Coordinates of all heavy atoms in Angstrom, one line a residue:
M1 N 126.4 78.9 117.2 CA 126.3 80.1 116.4 C 127.4 81.0 116.7 O 127.6 81.4 117.9 CB 124.9 80.8 116.5 CG 124.8 82.1 115.8 SD 125.0 82.0 114.0 CE 123.3 81.4 113.5
N2 N 128.2 81.4 115.8 CA 129.3 82.4 116.0 C 128.8 83.8 115.7 O 128.5 84.2 114.5 CB 130.4 82.1 115.1 CG 131.6 83.0 115.4 OD1 131.5 84.2 115.8 ND2 132.8 82.5 115.1
W3 N 128.5 84.6 116.7 CA 127.8 85.8 116.6 C 128.6 86.9 115.9 O 128.0 87.8 115.2 CB 127.2 86.4 117.9 CG 126.2 85.5 118.4 CD1 126.1 84.6 119.4 CD2 124.7 85.5 117.9 NE1 124.9 84.0 119.5 CE2 124.1 84.4 118.6 CE3 124.1 86.1 116.8 CZ2 122.7 84.1 118.4 CZ3 122.7 85.9 116.6 CH2 122.1 84.9 117.4
Y4 N 129.9 86.8 116.1 CA 130.8 87.8 115.4 C 130.7 87.6 113.8 O 130.6 88.5 113.1 CB 132.3 87.6 115.9 CG 132.5 88.0 117.2 CD1 132.7 87.1 118.3 CD2 132.4 89.4 117.6 CE1 132.9 87.6 119.6 CE2 132.6 89.9 118.9 CZ 132.8 88.9 119.9 OH 133.0 89.4 121.1
F5 N 130.7 86.3 113.5 CA 130.6 86.0 112.0 C 129.3 86.4 111.5 O 129.2 87.0 110.4 CB 130.8 84.5 111.8 CG 130.5 83.9 110.5 CD1 131.6 84.2 109.4 CD2 129.4 83.5 110.1 CE1 131.4 83.8 108.2 CE2 129.2 83.0 108.7 CZ 130.1 83.3 107.7
F6 N 128.2 86.2 112.3 CA 126.9 86.6 111.9 C 126.7 88.1 111.7 O 126.2 88.6 110.7 CB 125.9 86.2 112.9 CG 124.5 86.5 112.6 CD1 123.7 85.8 111.7 CD2 123.8 87.5 113.3 CE1 122.4 86.1 111.4 CE2 122.4 87.9 113.0 CZ 121.8 87.1 112.0
G7 N 127.3 88.8 112.7 CA 127.3 90.2 112.5 C 128.2 90.7 111.3 O 127.7 91.6 110.6
A8 N 129.2 90.2 111.1 CA 130.1 90.5 109.9 C 129.4 90.2 108.6 O 129.4 91.1 107.7 CB 131.5 89.8 110.0
A9 N 128.7 89.0 108.6 CA 128.0 88.7 107.3 C 126.9 89.7 107.1 O 126.6 89.9 106.0 CB 127.5 87.3 107.5
L10 N 126.3 90.1 108.2 CA 125.1 91.1 108.1 C 125.7 92.5 107.4 O 125.0 93.0 106.6 CB 124.5 91.3 109.4 CG 123.1 91.8 109.5 CD1 122.1 90.7 108.9 CD2 122.6 92.1 110.9
V11 N 126.8 92.9 108.0 CA 127.4 94.1 107.5 C 127.7 94.0 106.0 O 127.4 94.9 105.3 CB 128.6 94.5 108.3 CG1 129.4 95.6 107.6 CG2 128.2 94.9 109.7
V12 N 128.4 92.9 105.6 CA 128.9 92.7 104.3 C 127.6 92.6 103.4 O 127.5 93.2 102.3 CB 129.5 91.4 104.1 CG1 129.8 91.0 102.6 CG2 131.0 91.6 104.8
Y13 N 126.5 91.9 103.9 CA 125.3 91.8 103.1 C 124.7 93.1 102.9 O 124.2 93.4 101.8 CB 124.3 90.8 103.8 CG 123.0 90.8 103.1 CD1 122.9 89.9 101.9 CD2 121.9 91.4 103.5 CE1 121.6 89.9 101.3 CE2 120.7 91.4 102.9 CZ 120.6 90.7 101.8 OH 119.4 90.6 101.1
S14 N 124.7 94.0 103.9 CA 124.1 95.4 103.8 C 124.8 96.1 102.7 O 124.3 96.9 101.9 CB 124.1 96.0 105.2 OG 123.4 95.3 106.1
I15 N 126.2 96.1 102.9 CA 127.0 96.8 101.8 C 126.6 96.4 100.4 O 126.5 97.2 99.5 CB 128.5 96.7 102.1 CG1 128.8 97.3 103.5 CG2 129.3 97.3 101.0 CD1 130.2 97.0 104.0
I16 N 126.5 95.1 100.3 CA 126.2 94.5 98.9 C 124.8 95.0 98.4 O 124.6 95.3 97.3 CB 126.4 93.0 98.9 CG1 127.8 92.5 99.1 CG2 125.8 92.5 97.6 CD1 127.9 91.0 99.2
A17 N 123.9 95.0 99.4 CA 122.4 95.3 99.1 C 122.4 96.8 98.7 O 121.8 97.2 97.6 CB 121.7 95.1 100.2
V18 N 123.1 97.7 99.4 CA 123.1 99.1 99.0 C 123.9 99.4 97.8 O 123.4 100.2 96.9 CB 123.9 99.9 100.2 CG1 124.1 101.4 99.7 CG2 123.0 99.8 101.5
G19 N 124.9 98.6 97.6 CA 125.7 98.8 96.2 C 124.8 98.3 95.1 O 124.8 98.9 94.0
L20 N 124.1 97.2 95.2 CA 123.1 96.7 94.2 C 122.1 97.7 93.9 O 121.8 98.1 92.8 CB 122.5 95.4 94.5 CG 123.4 94.1 94.2 CD1 122.7 92.9 94.7 CD2 123.7 94.0 92.7
F21 N 121.6 98.2 95.0 CA 120.5 99.3 94.9 C 120.9 100.5 94.1 O 120.2 101.0 93.3 CB 120.0 99.7 96.3 CG 118.9 100.6 96.2 CD1 117.5 100.3 95.9 CD2 119.1 102.0 96.6 CE1 116.6 101.1 96.0 CE2 118.1 102.9 96.7 CZ 116.8 102.5 96.2
A22 N 122.2 101.0 94.4 CA 122.8 102.1 93.7 C 123.0 101.7 92.2 O 122.7 102.6 91.3 CB 124.1 102.5 94.3
L23 N 123.4 100.5 92.0 CA 123.8 100.2 90.5 C 122.4 100.0 89.7 O 122.5 100.4 88.7 CB 124.5 98.8 90.6 CG 126.1 98.9 90.9 CD1 126.6 97.5 91.0 CD2 126.8 99.7 89.8
L24 N 121.5 99.3 90.4 CA 120.1 99.2 89.7 C 119.4 100.5 89.5 O 118.6 100.7 88.6 CB 119.4 98.2 90.4 CG 120.0 96.7 90.4 CD1 119.1 95.9 91.2 CD2 119.9 96.2 88.9
G25 N 119.6 101.4 90.5 CA 118.8 102.6 90.5 C 119.5 103.9 89.9 O 119.1 105.0 90.2
N26 N 120.6 103.6 89.2 CA 121.5 104.7 88.8 C 120.8 105.5 87.6 O 119.8 104.9 87.0 CB 122.8 104.3 88.2 CG 122.8 103.4 87.1 OD1 121.7 102.9 86.8 ND2 123.8 103.3 86.4
C27 N 121.2 106.8 87.4 CA 120.5 107.5 86.4 C 120.8 106.9 85.1 O 122.0 106.7 84.7 CB 121.0 108.9 86.5 SG 120.4 110.1 85.1
E28 N 119.8 106.7 84.3 CA 120.0 106.1 82.9 C 120.6 107.0 81.9 O 121.0 106.6 80.8 CB 118.7 105.5 82.4 CG 117.6 106.5 82.2 CD 116.2 105.9 81.8 OE1 116.0 104.8 82.1 OE2 115.5 106.6 81.1
H29 N 120.6 108.3 82.4 CA 121.1 109.2 81.3 C 122.6 109.6 81.6 O 123.4 109.5 80.7 CB 120.4 110.7 81.4 CG 120.6 111.6 80.3 ND1 121.4 112.6 80.6 CD2 120.3 111.6 79.0 CE1 121.5 113.3 79.4 NE2 120.8 112.7 78.4
C30 N 122.9 109.9 82.8 CA 124.3 110.2 83.1 C 125.0 109.1 83.9 O 126.2 109.1 84.2 CB 124.4 111.6 83.9 SG 123.8 111.5 85.5
G31 N 124.2 108.1 84.4 CA 124.9 107.0 85.1 C 125.2 107.3 86.6 O 125.8 106.5 87.1
S32 N 124.6 108.4 87.1 CA 125.0 108.8 88.4 C 124.5 107.8 89.5 O 123.3 107.4 89.4 CB 124.5 110.1 88.7 OG 124.5 110.4 90.2
L33 N 125.3 107.2 90.3 CA 125.0 106.2 91.3 C 124.2 106.9 92.4 O 123.4 106.3 93.2 CB 126.1 105.5 91.8 CG 126.9 104.5 90.8 CD1 128.0 103.9 91.6 CD2 125.9 103.5 90.2
V34 N 124.4 108.2 92.6 CA 123.7 109.0 93.7 C 122.3 109.1 93.4 O 121.4 109.4 94.3 CB 124.4 110.4 93.8 CG1 123.8 111.1 94.9 CG2 125.9 110.3 93.9
F35 N 121.9 109.0 92.1 CA 120.5 109.2 91.7 C 119.6 108.2 92.5 O 118.4 108.5 92.8 CB 120.4 108.8 90.2 CG 119.0 108.9 89.6 CD1 118.4 110.1 89.5 CD2 118.3 107.8 89.3 CE1 117.1 110.3 89.0 CE2 117.0 107.9 88.8 CZ 116.4 109.1 88.6
A36 N 120.0 106.9 92.8 CA 119.3 106.0 93.6 C 118.8 106.5 95.0 O 117.7 106.2 95.4 CB 120.0 104.7 93.7
F37 N 119.7 107.3 95.6 CA 119.5 107.8 96.9 C 119.0 109.3 96.9 O 118.2 109.7 97.8 CB 120.7 107.7 97.8 CG 121.3 106.4 97.8 CD1 122.3 106.1 96.9 CD2 120.7 105.2 98.6 CE1 122.9 104.8 96.9 CE2 121.3 104.0 98.4 CZ 122.4 103.8 97.7
C38 N 119.4 110.1 96.0 CA 119.2 111.5 96.0 C 118.6 112.0 94.7 O 119.4 112.1 93.7 CB 120.5 112.2 96.3 SG 120.4 113.9 96.7
H39 N 117.4 112.3 94.6 CA 116.8 112.8 93.4 C 115.5 113.6 93.8 O 115.0 113.5 94.9 CB 116.4 111.6 92.5 CG 115.5 110.6 93.2 ND1 115.8 109.5 93.8 CD2 114.1 110.7 93.5 CE1 114.9 108.8 94.3 NE2 113.8 109.6 94.2
D40 N 115.2 114.4 92.9 CA 113.9 115.3 93.0 C 112.7 114.5 92.4 O 112.9 113.6 91.5 CB 114.0 116.6 92.5 CG 115.1 117.4 93.2 OD1 115.1 117.5 94.4 OD2 115.9 118.1 92.4
E41 N 111.6 114.8 93.0 CA 110.3 114.1 92.4 C 109.4 115.2 91.9 O 109.2 116.3 92.4 CB 109.5 113.4 93.6 CG 110.3 112.1 94.0 CD 109.7 111.4 95.1 OE1 108.6 111.8 95.5 OE2 110.3 110.4 95.6
E42 N 108.8 114.8 90.6 CA 108.0 115.8 90.0 C 106.8 115.0 89.5 O 106.9 113.9 89.0 CB 108.9 116.3 88.8 CG 108.0 117.4 88.1 CD 108.9 118.0 86.8 OE1 110.1 118.5 87.2 OE2 108.5 117.9 85.7
V43 N 105.6 115.6 89.6 CA 104.4 115.0 89.2 C 103.9 115.8 88.0 O 103.8 117.0 88.0 CB 103.4 114.9 90.3 CG1 102.1 114.4 89.8 CG2 104.0 114.1 91.5
N44 N 103.5 115.1 87.0 CA 102.8 115.6 85.8 C 101.4 115.3 85.8 O 101.0 114.1 85.5 CB 103.5 115.2 84.5 CG 103.0 115.9 83.3 OD1 101.7 116.2 83.2 ND2 103.9 116.2 82.4
E45 N 100.5 116.1 86.3 CA 99.1 115.8 86.5 C 98.4 115.4 85.1 O 97.7 114.6 85.0 CB 98.4 117.0 87.2 CG 98.8 117.3 88.5 CD 98.2 116.4 89.5 OE1 97.2 115.6 89.2 OE2 98.5 116.4 90.7
A46 N 98.7 116.3 84.1 CA 98.2 116.0 82.8 C 98.5 114.7 82.2 O 97.5 114.0 81.7 CB 98.6 117.0 81.8
R47 N 99.7 114.3 82.4 CA 100.0 112.9 81.9 C 99.8 111.8 82.9 O 100.2 110.7 82.6 CB 101.4 113.0 81.3 CG 101.6 113.7 80.1 CD 103.0 113.8 79.7 NE 103.2 114.4 78.3 CZ 104.3 114.7 77.8 NH1 105.5 114.4 78.3 NH2 104.4 115.2 76.5
R48 N 99.5 112.2 84.1 CA 99.2 111.3 85.2 C 100.5 110.4 85.4 O 100.3 109.2 85.5 CB 98.1 110.4 84.9 CG 96.8 111.2 84.4 CD 95.6 110.2 84.2 NE 95.1 109.8 85.4 CZ 94.3 110.4 86.3 NH1 93.9 111.6 86.0 NH2 93.9 109.9 87.4
K49 N 101.5 111.0 85.5 CA 102.9 110.3 85.8 C 103.6 111.0 86.8 O 103.5 112.3 86.9 CB 103.6 110.4 84.4 CG 103.2 109.4 83.4 CD 103.9 108.0 83.8 CE 103.8 106.9 82.7 NZ 104.4 105.7 83.0
A50 N 104.5 110.3 87.5 CA 105.3 110.9 88.5 C 106.8 110.6 88.0 O 107.1 109.5 87.4 CB 105.2 110.4 89.8
Y51 N 107.6 111.5 88.2 CA 109.1 111.4 87.7 C 110.1 111.5 88.7 O 109.8 112.2 89.8 CB 109.5 112.3 86.6 CG 108.5 112.3 85.4 CD1 107.3 113.1 85.4 CD2 108.7 111.5 84.4 CE1 106.5 113.1 84.3 CE2 107.9 111.5 83.3 CZ 106.8 112.3 83.3 OH 105.9 112.3 82.2
K52 N 111.2 110.8 88.7 CA 112.3 111.0 89.4 C 113.3 111.9 88.6 O 113.6 111.6 87.5 CB 113.1 109.8 89.8 CG 112.5 108.9 90.9 CD 113.4 107.8 91.1 CE 112.7 106.9 92.2 NZ 113.6 105.6 92.4
V53 N 113.7 113.0 89.1 CA 114.4 114.0 88.4 C 115.9 113.9 88.9 O 116.2 114.1 90.1 CB 114.0 115.4 88.4 CG1 114.7 116.4 87.6 CG2 112.5 115.5 88.1
C54 N 116.9 113.6 88.0 CA 118.3 113.6 88.4 C 118.7 115.0 88.7 O 118.5 115.9 88.0 CB 119.1 113.0 87.2 SG 120.8 112.9 87.5
R55 N 119.4 115.1 89.8 CA 119.9 116.4 90.2 C 121.2 116.9 89.5 O 121.6 117.9 89.6 CB 120.2 116.4 91.7 CG 119.0 116.4 92.6 CD 119.2 116.5 94.0 NE 117.9 116.4 94.8 CZ 117.8 116.4 96.1 NH1 118.9 116.4 96.9 NH2 116.7 116.5 96.6
I56 N 121.8 115.9 88.7 CA 123.0 116.2 88.0 C 122.7 116.6 86.6 O 123.2 117.6 86.1 CB 124.0 115.0 88.1 CG1 124.5 114.8 89.5 CG2 125.3 115.2 87.2 CD1 125.2 113.5 89.8
C57 N 122.0 115.7 85.9 CA 121.7 116.0 84.5 C 120.3 116.5 84.2 O 119.9 116.7 83.1 CB 122.1 114.8 83.6 SG 121.0 113.5 83.8
K58 N 119.4 116.4 85.3 CA 118.1 116.9 85.2 C 117.2 116.0 84.2 O 116.1 116.3 83.9 CB 117.9 118.3 84.6 CG 118.7 119.3 85.5 CD 118.1 119.5 86.9 CE 119.0 120.4 87.7 NZ 118.7 120.4 89.1
N59 N 117.6 114.7 84.0 CA 117.0 113.8 83.2 C 115.8 113.3 84.1 O 115.8 113.0 85.3 CB 117.8 112.6 82.9 CG 117.1 111.6 81.9 OD1 116.5 112.0 81.0 ND2 117.0 110.3 82.5
K60 N 114.6 113.1 83.4 CA 113.4 112.7 84.2 C 113.2 111.1 83.8 O 113.2 110.8 82.7 CB 112.1 113.4 83.7 CG 112.2 114.8 84.1 CD 111.0 115.5 83.6 CE 111.0 117.0 84.0 NZ 109.9 117.8 83.4
T61 N 113.0 110.4 84.9 CA 112.7 108.9 84.8 C 111.3 108.7 85.3 O 111.0 109.0 86.5 CB 113.7 108.1 85.5 OG1 115.0 108.5 85.1 CG2 113.5 106.7 85.3
A62 N 110.4 108.1 84.5 CA 109.1 107.9 84.9 C 109.1 106.7 85.9 O 109.6 105.6 85.7 CB 108.2 107.6 83.8
V63 N 108.4 106.9 87.1 CA 108.5 105.8 88.1 C 107.1 105.5 88.6 O 106.9 104.5 89.3 CB 109.3 106.4 89.3 CG1 110.9 106.3 88.9 CG2 108.9 107.6 89.8
E64 N 106.1 106.4 88.3 CA 104.8 106.1 88.9 C 103.7 106.6 88.0 O 103.7 107.5 87.4 CB 104.8 107.0 90.2 CG 103.5 106.6 91.1 CD 103.5 107.5 92.4 OE1 104.4 108.3 92.5 OE2 102.6 107.2 93.2
A65 N 102.7 105.6 87.9 CA 101.5 106.0 87.1 C 100.4 106.4 88.2 O 100.3 105.7 89.2 CB 101.1 104.8 86.4
I66 N 99.7 107.5 88.0 CA 98.8 108.0 89.0 C 97.5 107.4 88.7 O 97.0 107.7 87.6 CB 98.8 109.5 89.0 CG1 100.3 110.0 89.4 CG2 97.9 110.0 90.0 CD1 100.5 111.4 89.2
N67 N 96.8 106.8 89.6 CA 95.4 106.4 89.4 C 94.4 107.4 89.7 O 94.6 108.5 90.0 CB 95.2 105.0 90.2 CG 95.2 105.2 91.7 OD1 95.1 106.4 92.1 ND2 95.4 104.2 92.4
D68 N 93.1 107.0 89.7 CA 92.0 108.0 89.7 C 91.9 108.6 91.2 O 91.4 109.7 91.3 CB 90.7 107.3 89.4 CG 90.6 106.8 87.9 OD1 91.4 107.6 87.1 OD2 89.9 106.0 87.6
V69 N 92.4 107.8 92.1 CA 92.4 108.4 93.5 C 93.4 109.5 93.7 O 93.5 110.2 94.7 CB 92.6 107.3 94.5 CG1 92.1 107.7 95.9 CG2 91.7 106.1 94.0
G70 N 94.4 109.5 92.7 CA 95.5 110.6 92.9 C 96.7 109.8 93.6 O 97.7 110.5 93.7
K71 N 96.6 108.5 94.0 CA 97.8 107.8 94.5 C 98.3 107.0 93.4 O 97.5 106.4 92.7 CB 97.3 107.1 95.8 CG 97.1 107.9 96.9 CD 96.8 107.1 98.1 CE 96.7 107.9 99.3 NZ 96.5 107.2 100.6
G72 N 99.6 106.8 93.4 CA 100.2 106.0 92.4 C 100.8 104.7 92.9 O 100.9 104.5 94.1
V73 N 100.9 103.8 91.9 CA 101.5 102.6 92.2 C 103.0 102.7 91.7 O 103.1 102.8 90.4 CB 100.8 101.4 91.6 CG1 101.5 100.0 91.8 CG2 99.4 101.4 92.0
W74 N 104.0 102.5 92.6 CA 105.4 102.6 92.1 C 105.8 101.5 91.4 O 105.4 100.3 91.7 CB 106.2 102.9 93.3 CG 106.1 104.2 94.0 CD1 105.2 104.4 94.9 CD2 106.8 105.4 93.6 NE1 105.2 105.8 95.2 CE2 106.2 106.4 94.4 CE3 107.8 105.7 92.7 CZ2 106.8 107.7 94.3 CZ3 108.4 106.9 92.7 CH2 107.8 107.9 93.5
F75 N 106.5 101.7 90.4 CA 107.1 100.6 89.6 C 108.4 101.0 89.0 O 108.8 102.2 89.0 CB 106.1 100.2 88.4 CG 106.0 101.3 87.3 CD1 106.8 101.4 86.3 CD2 105.0 102.2 87.5 CE1 106.6 102.3 85.3 CE2 104.7 103.2 86.6 CZ 105.6 103.2 85.5
K76 N 109.2 100.1 88.7 CA 110.5 100.3 88.2 C 110.5 100.4 86.7 O 110.0 99.5 85.9 CB 111.5 99.2 88.5 CG 112.9 99.3 87.8 CD 113.9 99.7 88.9 CE 115.3 99.7 88.3 NZ 115.5 100.7 87.2
D77 N 110.9 101.6 86.2 CA 110.9 101.8 84.7 C 112.2 101.3 84.2 O 113.3 102.1 84.4 CB 110.6 103.2 84.4 CG 110.3 103.5 82.9 OD1 110.9 102.7 82.1 OD2 109.7 104.4 82.6
D78 N 112.3 100.2 83.6 CA 113.6 99.8 83.1 C 114.0 100.4 81.8 O 115.0 99.8 81.1 CB 113.8 98.2 83.0 CG 112.7 97.6 82.3 OD1 112.0 98.3 81.5 OD2 112.4 96.4 82.2
G79 N 113.1 101.2 81.2 CA 113.5 101.8 79.9 C 112.9 101.1 78.8 O 112.9 101.6 77.7
G80 N 112.3 99.9 79.0 CA 111.8 99.0 78.0 C 110.4 99.4 77.6 O 109.9 99.1 76.6
D81 N 109.6 100.0 78.6 CA 108.2 100.1 78.4 C 107.9 101.5 78.9 O 107.4 101.8 80.1 CB 107.5 99.1 79.3 CG 105.9 99.3 79.0 OD1 105.5 99.7 78.0 OD2 105.2 98.8 79.9
K82 N 108.1 102.5 78.1 CA 107.8 103.9 78.5 C 106.5 104.4 77.8 O 106.4 104.4 76.7 CB 109.1 104.8 78.0 CG 110.2 104.8 79.0 CD 111.1 105.9 78.8 CE 112.2 105.9 79.8 NZ 113.3 106.9 79.6
K83 N 105.6 104.7 78.7 CA 104.4 105.3 78.2 C 104.3 106.7 78.6 O 103.5 107.0 79.4 CB 103.2 104.4 78.7 CG 103.4 103.0 78.5 CD 102.0 102.3 78.9 CE 102.2 100.7 78.8 NZ 102.7 100.1 79.9
I84 N 105.0 107.5 78.0 CA 105.0 109.0 78.4 C 104.3 109.8 77.3 O 104.6 109.5 76.1 CB 106.4 109.6 78.6 CG1 107.2 108.8 79.7 CG2 106.4 111.0 78.9 CD1 108.6 109.2 80.0
Ligands
ZN101 ZN1 121.5 112.0 85.6

């Protein structure tokens, strides 16, 4: 086993993973890649929803449905199934 190669592969894989995370989690409104890492969270008790709020364009993305216990199950809202 070449540990230098292993370490380099690990670093490259990490960079790709972070890049993919940013690309998949970008703001659907303004496309900000920072949105995946840096956003505000807001809970709407009446609609039993939690939102990620973009700090750049203030667009809200529904990310969580709140159950009866008050804890939510996180899911990825790909924009195809919005129940707001
Ligand atoms: Zn945005």
Side-chain angles (χ1 to χ4, degrees):
M1 173 65 78
N2 186 331
W3 290 104
Y4 289 111
F5 176 78
F6 181 75
L10 203 65
V11 168
V12 169
Y13 176 77
S14 301
I15 293 170
I16 292 173
V18 169
L20 275 177
F21 182 74
L23 283 173
L24 292 174
N26 67 340
C27 175
E28 61 185 25
H29 190 254
C30 69
S32 168
L33 295 179
V34 186
F35 181 71
F37 308 99
C38 189
H39 55 261
D40 292 319
E41 289 175 3
E42 183 179 303
V43 175
N44 188 324
E45 294 280 352
R47 289 180 172 176
R48 311 182 73 79
K49 280 278 193 177
Y51 302 93
K52 283 182 182 177
V53 184
C54 179
R55 290 184 177 176
I56 295 171
C57 68
K58 304 297 178 191
N59 181 57
K60 291 178 186 176
T61 304
V63 287
E64 188 177 7
I66 302 168
N67 63 19
D68 293 336
V69 194
K71 287 186 175 181
V73 180
W74 288 87
F75 64 93
K76 172 105 174 70
D77 189 338
D78 58 9
D81 184 27
K82 277 193 177 175
K83 303 185 184 93
I84 297 173

